[in-house]
């Protein structure tokens, strides 16, 4: 059977090689000039996808062969003829064709190829895949060494993919053939990867240390591996992730990148994920402390079991959150608003969940006691969620702060209000259906041993929480509409602004966003070929327009999309566009 499998793999490899030969010849003979009548975009997409697949397949095969060579405990075949045949086919077939196809593309690399999105996407994608694979394998090898486990095949994966990453990094930094688009994707994704594994490693290490301290205080005997081994393994991942993040974030200048991907990474990972982790961890810590103070029915070790992980999650999440919150001052207004609304949403969800659980636990006191119920712990859990989520929502949303017509026009605020009101209303309707179902079930089932209140108290608590959230946000939405009507602004007219400027667009972009509440897209104007370079002694004409000039320019605009051109001396031309 092994010989048959080997022959089949060889036959497939030969057929694949013939197909690759035809494609490479076609690419070699196809015209590559910008004025070609062929379809260069489709050709680039197909060729770079093919090159991506060939490089990945060859790297998998080579890492398999190198792993067998490094593993001295078995012979080369190691009883796994299928695996050896697969590695040989991947290496000896896909490898040469990958090199050949790359050599053809590299020789033909011109200005049109450099400016293509396919070239930049290929390098960014494969550089990220190689970097993540190599770093994970290397850290996994070091982590295994802590527990005395030598893993040569994992090390082989790290070595091979490090070579792939170094090769593609060299191409991405080549003076004459590096891509001109999507150059910041790989550093951003690399910093995200480093931050994730660093944060998880820090949480695991700190949780192990806290749990060991708690076990020592309670004089508990832990059976199994010593606690320091898990902590030391986590420290390896923490240090590796921190080094990766610092290198990608600062050395590769990912922190200076501006754009949709950078803003999404900041808001989703640095703010949303960190805030969620911090809130959940803090709520769990409060719940454990409340149980220690008011509900000691359970064994002490059961009560303290989630304490270490929760405290570590709360601390590390708060650190990541605080750091990225400080970076928001350097971002545009829509990004800052998005981060604020995300935090407000998490706080609202936590507070509403706590209110629902509190109502549920209070209603349980009026119902007959059911064996095995723990209403006190339920009440303490609701209090913990409400005490954590309520202040966070209050600090982020600021319900007592007056909202002017300009702020009421912002798209993010309006979408947030409608989204919260809509979701709360949908959940309330579903909860009403559940309550009706429970009532009819109780009326029709004479054998039920539970009271009606005990059947409906959980959905009734959820109904109260969602009803309060829906009612409040609906009232805020109506108040914003009233403020717009009072100011003579029936609604936000401008939805999108395309800003064309030659200077630094940051100040102008923020002013336009504050005045209109619209999403602003910046187009940087290129200098004319016959335009002379400005002298250092001459005053700069690329001055940003003032807020008064922008306000006058947008005063009579009533269309949804406009083009704003900033000229010499801060002049502004607003051009309405059709939808």
């Amino acid at each position: 059977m092994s010989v048959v499998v080997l022959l089949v793999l060889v036959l497939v490899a030969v057929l694949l090689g013939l197909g690759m030969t035809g494609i490479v010849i076609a690419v070699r003979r196809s015209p590559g000039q910008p004025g070609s009548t062929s379809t260069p975009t489709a050709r680039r997409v197909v060729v770079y996808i093919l090159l991506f697949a060939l490089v990945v397949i060859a790297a998998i095969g080579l890492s398999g062969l190198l792993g067998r060579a490094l593993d001295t405990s078995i012979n080369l075949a190691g009883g796994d003829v299928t695996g050896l045949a697969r590695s040989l086919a991947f290496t000896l077939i896909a490898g040469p064709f990958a090199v050949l196809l790359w050599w053809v593309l590299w020789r033909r690399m011109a200005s049109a190829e450099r400016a293509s999105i396919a070239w930049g996407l290929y390098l960014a994608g494969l550089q990220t895949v190689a970097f993540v694979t190599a770093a994970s394998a290397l850290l996994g090898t070091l982590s295994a060494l802590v527990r005395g486990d030598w893993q040569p095949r994992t090390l082989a994966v790290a070595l091979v993919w490090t070579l792939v990453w170094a090769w593609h990094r060299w191409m991405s930094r080549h003076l004459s053939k590096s891509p001109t688009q999507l150059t910041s994707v790989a550093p951003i994704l690399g910093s995200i990867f480093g931050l994730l594994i660093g944060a998880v490693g820090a949480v695991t290490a700190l949780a192990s240390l806290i749990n060991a301290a708690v076990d020592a205080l309670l004089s508990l005997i832990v059976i199994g591996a010593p606690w320091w081994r898990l902590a030391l393994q986590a420290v390896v991942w923490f240090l590796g992730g921190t080094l990766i993040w610092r290198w990608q974030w600062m050395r590769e200048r990912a922190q200076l990148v501006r754009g949709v991907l950078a803003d999404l990474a900041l808001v989703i990972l640095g703010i949303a994920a960190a805030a969620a982790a911090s809130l959940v961890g803090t709520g769990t810590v409060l719940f454990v402390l409340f149980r220690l103070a008011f509900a000691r029915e359970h064994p002490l070790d059961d009560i303290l079991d989630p304490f270490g992980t929760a405290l570590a999650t709360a601390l590390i999440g708060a650190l990541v959150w605080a750091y990225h919150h400080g970076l928001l001052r350097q971002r545009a207004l829509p990004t800052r608003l998005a981060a604020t609304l995300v935090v407000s949403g998490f706080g609202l969800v936590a507070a509403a969940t706590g209110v629902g659980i509190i109502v549920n636990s209070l209603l349980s006191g009026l119902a007959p006691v059911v064996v095995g119920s723990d209403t006190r712990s339920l009440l303490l859990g609701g209090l913990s969620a409400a005490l954590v989520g309520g202040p966070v929502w209050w600090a982020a949303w600021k319900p007592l702060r007056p909202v002017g017509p300009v702020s009421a026009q912002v798209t993010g605020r309006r979408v947030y209000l409608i989204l919260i009101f809509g979701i709360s209303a949908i959940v309330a309707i579903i909860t009403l259906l559940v309550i009706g179902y429970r009532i009819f079930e109780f009326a029709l089932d004479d054998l039920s041993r539970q009271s009606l209140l005990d059947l409906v108290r959980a959905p009734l608590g959820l109904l109260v929480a969602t009803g309060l959230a829906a009612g409040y946000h609906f009232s805020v939405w109506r108040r914003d509409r009233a403020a717009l009507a009072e100011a003579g602004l029936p609604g936000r007219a401008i939805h999108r602004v395309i800003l064309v400027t030659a200077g630094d667009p940051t100040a102008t972009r923020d002013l336009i966003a504050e005045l209109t509440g619209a999403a602003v897209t910046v187009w940087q104007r290129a200098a004319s070929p016959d335009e002379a370079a400005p002298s250092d002694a001459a005053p700069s004409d690329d001055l940003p327009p003032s807020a008064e000039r922008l306000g006058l320019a947008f005063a009579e605009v009533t269309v949804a999309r406009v083009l704003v051109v900033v000229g010499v001396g801060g002049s502004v031309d607003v051009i309405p566009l059709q939808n």
Side-chain angles (χ1 to χ4, degrees):
M1 180 61 68
S2 300
V3 176
V4 175
V5 173
L6 179 60
L7 291 176
V8 170
L9 287 175
V10 171
L11 179 60
V12 171
V14 171
L15 293 176
L16 179 64
L18 293 176
M20 297 304 104
T21 304
I23 294 175
V24 170
I25 293 175
V27 173
R28 182 72 176 86
R29 293 182 177 181
S30 63
Q33 300 301 323
S36 172
T37 58
S38 62
T39 55
T41 301
R43 174 184 59 80
R44 293 187 189 109
V45 171
V46 172
V47 168
Y48 285 123
I49 290 177
L50 178 60
L51 181 59
F52 188 99
L54 287 174
V55 172
V56 170
I57 292 172
I60 293 174
L62 185 58
S63 61
L65 293 178
L66 183 59
R68 291 173 180 272
L70 294 177
D71 193 355
T72 57
S73 61
I74 59 173
N75 55 21
L76 186 61
D80 183 14
V81 178
T82 302
L84 178 59
R86 182 176 58 248
S87 298
L88 287 171
F90 283 5
T91 304
L92 299 179
I93 303 298
F97 279 104
V99 174
L100 178 61
L101 182 57
W102 168 82
W103 178 73
V104 172
L105 294 173
W106 189 251
R107 286 188 59 193
R108 294 163 49 88
M109 190 63 61
S111 58
E113 294 287 338
R114 290 186 63 191
S116 67
I117 296 180
W119 175 233
L121 189 61
Y122 164 77
L123 280 183
L126 197 46
Q127 193 174 345
T128 302
V129 170
F131 183 77
V132 170
T133 305
S136 301
L138 180 59
L139 293 176
T141 303
L142 296 176
S143 177
L145 287 176
V146 172
R147 62 175 184 267
D149 184 14
W150 166 241
Q151 296 183 354
R153 301 199 177 192
T154 308
L155 179 61
V157 172
L159 294 176
V160 171
W161 283 99
T162 300
L163 293 176
V164 175
W165 169 79
W167 172 32
H168 286 79
R169 187 173 186 270
W170 169 76
M171 286 190 290
S172 66
R173 293 175 175 271
H174 197 275
L175 293 178
S176 60
K177 299 184 179 182
S178 60
T180 58
Q181 297 195 52
L182 303 179
T183 57
S184 61
V185 172
I188 293 176
L189 296 180
S191 65
I192 292 174
F193 170 70
L195 180 62
L196 283 175
I197 64 174
V200 173
V203 169
T204 306
L206 187 57
S208 301
L209 184 61
I210 295 174
N211 289 330
V214 171
D215 293 339
L217 290 175
L218 298 179
S219 301
L220 295 177
I221 300 176
V222 181
I223 300 176
W227 67 269
W228 56 265
R229 184 173 295 173
L230 177 61
L232 192 56
Q233 287 179 289
V235 167
V236 171
W237 287 93
F238 163 66
L239 293 178
T242 303
L243 290 176
I244 292 172
W245 172 81
R246 183 178 177 84
W247 178 40
Q248 297 286 338
W249 188 250
M250 299 181 180
R251 184 70 180 271
E252 299 293 324
R253 300 182 181 275
Q255 61 178 337
L256 302 179
V257 178
R258 298 293 182 267
V260 176
L261 181 60
D263 291 341
L264 283 177
L266 176 63
V267 173
I268 294 177
L269 183 63
I271 302 296
S278 181
L279 290 177
V280 172
T282 305
T284 306
V285 169
L286 277 181
F287 178 60
V288 171
L289 296 179
F290 281 153
R291 292 185 69 190
L292 286 175
F294 305 108
R296 297 289 293 272
E297 296 88 357
H298 298 279
L300 194 58
D301 55 336
D302 290 342
I303 296 176
L304 292 173
D305 182 60
F307 181 75
T309 303
L311 183 58
T313 303
L315 292 176
I316 301 302
L319 287 176
V320 176
W321 183 10
Y323 174 78
H324 289 88
H325 185 268
L327 297 178
L328 288 175
R329 293 190 295 268
Q330 307 169 5
R331 302 287 172 148
L333 180 63
T335 305
R336 299 197 300 268
L337 178 62
T340 301
L341 295 179
V342 164
V343 174
S344 174
F346 278 122
L348 178 65
V349 169
T353 303
V355 171
I357 295 175
I358 290 173
V359 173
N360 182 7
S361 61
L362 292 178
L363 291 176
S364 66
L366 303 177
V369 179
V370 181
V371 178
S373 62
D374 192 1
T375 58
R376 184 179 299 178
S377 296
L378 189 64
L379 176 62
L380 296 178
L383 286 174
S384 302
L387 290 177
V388 171
V392 171
W393 172 79
W394 189 279
W397 182 249
K398 296 180 176 61
L400 299 181
R401 184 181 62 182
V403 178
V406 175
S407 299
Q409 283 183 307
V410 176
T411 303
R413 177 182 174 88
R414 294 162 66 88
V415 171
Y416 172 81
L417 289 173
I418 295 174
L419 188 63
I420 294 297
F421 167 70
I423 293 177
S424 301
I426 292 173
V427 174
I429 292 173
I430 295 175
T431 307
L432 280 174
L433 293 175
V434 174
I435 292 175
Y437 164 75
R438 289 295 189 182
I439 292 175
F440 288 121
E441 182 186 33
F442 177 80
L444 297 175
D445 188 6
D446 297 334
L447 301 178
S448 176
R449 298 181 180 179
Q450 290 182 292
S451 65
L452 178 61
L453 186 58
D454 194 58
L455 288 173
V456 301
R457 60 185 176 90
L460 192 59
L462 184 59
L463 178 63
V464 171
T466 54
L468 290 174
Y472 169 77
H473 289 87
F474 181 70
S475 65
V476 174
W477 178 71
R478 293 192 62 183
R479 187 176 61 196
D480 287 354
R481 289 188 63 187
L484 291 175
E486 184 179 355
L489 301 172
R492 191 174 67 85
I494 304 175
H495 293 268
R496 178 167 296 278
V497 175
I498 300 175
L499 173 63
V500 180
T501 179
D504 186 6
T506 304
T508 307
R509 180 185 58 193
D510 291 345
L511 281 175
I512 293 175
E514 291 177 2
L515 287 172
T516 64
V520 181
T521 302
V522 178
W523 290 358
Q524 202 76 24
R525 187 169 56 190
S528 302
D530 54 350
E531 186 176 344
S535 174
D536 295 338
S540 176
D541 290 333
D542 295 331
L543 299 175
S546 62
E548 293 78 8
R549 179 175 291 182
L550 284 174
L552 292 175
F554 284 104
E556 303 297 330
V557 178
T558 57
V559 297
R561 300 171 69 241
V562 297
L563 174 67
V564 179
V565 180
V566 178
V568 178
S571 62
V572 178
D573 291 329
V574 177
I575 304 171
L577 302 176
Q578 291 185 353
N579 290 329

